[in-house]
Amino acid sequence: MTGELWHHLAAQVEQLDAQAGRLIRRALTEHTAALRVQVAGRAGTGRESVETQVRELLLRRVDIEGGQVDAAVGGVAVDTPDGPDPVLDGDVVVYVVPRRLDPAVAHPADRAALKAVDPCRLVLVVTGGTDDSECALVARATGVPPDQVVAVRDEELLGERLAARAVVARRLRDEELARVVAGVPAAPQVRELVEQTLDLVGLDPMESVAAGLR
């Protein structure tokens, strides 16, 4: 229903202000694009296997907010020799760490990479024969919330964690769309249509603009 409101707004605005209409259409295209899921980790962590597992799990999930997850999954190597630090800015970031002899001690490269990730977009996967108690230690060592840390062998729980992050990512996109549309320069007649739509989707236009300027 919300998607129909946005597309109806774009059609109305295009008839009144072509430039504003193009900006709203562009924002809608970005909003509906496949979720970017990055699977990141150092060499030797099992990242490639987790990447395959994540892709299969997302293809099988059909109960995330009433629909199948449309996601583009890609691998990202971390701490490569002479390589630049990767940009972990996906809609969802699955970070892979191996089981360590002392799970309470995190690798410095992992800690550094995880600090750059938006926590609400993160799932931390621990490979090897890790149990729940070890996952809790890994969470403490890395500073990741415990409910976002999962052992790779617990496929059902991993699927649930991915689903939860996908829901968050979609809601963040909804908020970003509202901010962009609220900030589109347009004539008063168009502004009125925009504000009416924001009211219908439950967002205050001034709050959306203010959030976009921060």
Side-chain angles (χ1 to χ4, degrees), residues 51-66:
E51 181 182 339
T52 300
Q53 187 178 12
V54 166
R55 187 175 286 107
E56 292 174 351
L57 282 169
L58 289 174
L59 284 173
R60 294 205 303 265
R61 295 293 298 200
V62 293
D63 57 346
I64 300 175
E65 291 196 338

Side-chain angles (χ1 to χ4, degrees), residues 96-174:
V96 183
V97 296
R99 184 187 188 189
R100 294 171 65 89
L101 291 176
D102 184 355
V105 179
H107 191 285
D110 293 332
R111 284 201 305 269
L114 287 166
K115 283 182 180 178
V117 181
D118 182 348
C120 69
R121 301 181 184 273
L122 177 65
V123 178
L124 183 62
V125 177
V126 186
T127 57
T130 310
D131 58 23
D132 291 343
S133 62
E134 288 177 320
C135 282
L137 291 173
V138 172
R140 188 181 307 167
T142 57
V144 176
D147 63 350
Q148 290 171 227
V149 181
V150 59
V152 70
R153 63 183 181 179
D154 193 341
E155 190 167 276
E156 182 177 355
L157 185 58
L158 176 55
E160 292 174 3
R161 297 291 185 260
L162 288 170
R165 294 307 102 196
V167 169
V168 170
R170 284 182 172 176
R171 290 175 182 167
L172 289 172
R173 279 197 179 186
D174 289 343

Side-chain angles (χ1 to χ4, degrees), residues 7-28:
H7 284 285
H8 181 61
L9 170 66
Q12 288 181 300
V13 170
E14 283 172 331
Q15 296 178 13
L16 299 170
D17 186 327
Q19 176 64 17
R22 282 193 293 270
L23 292 174
I24 292 175
R25 286 289 185 193
R26 185 186 305 164
L28 277 170

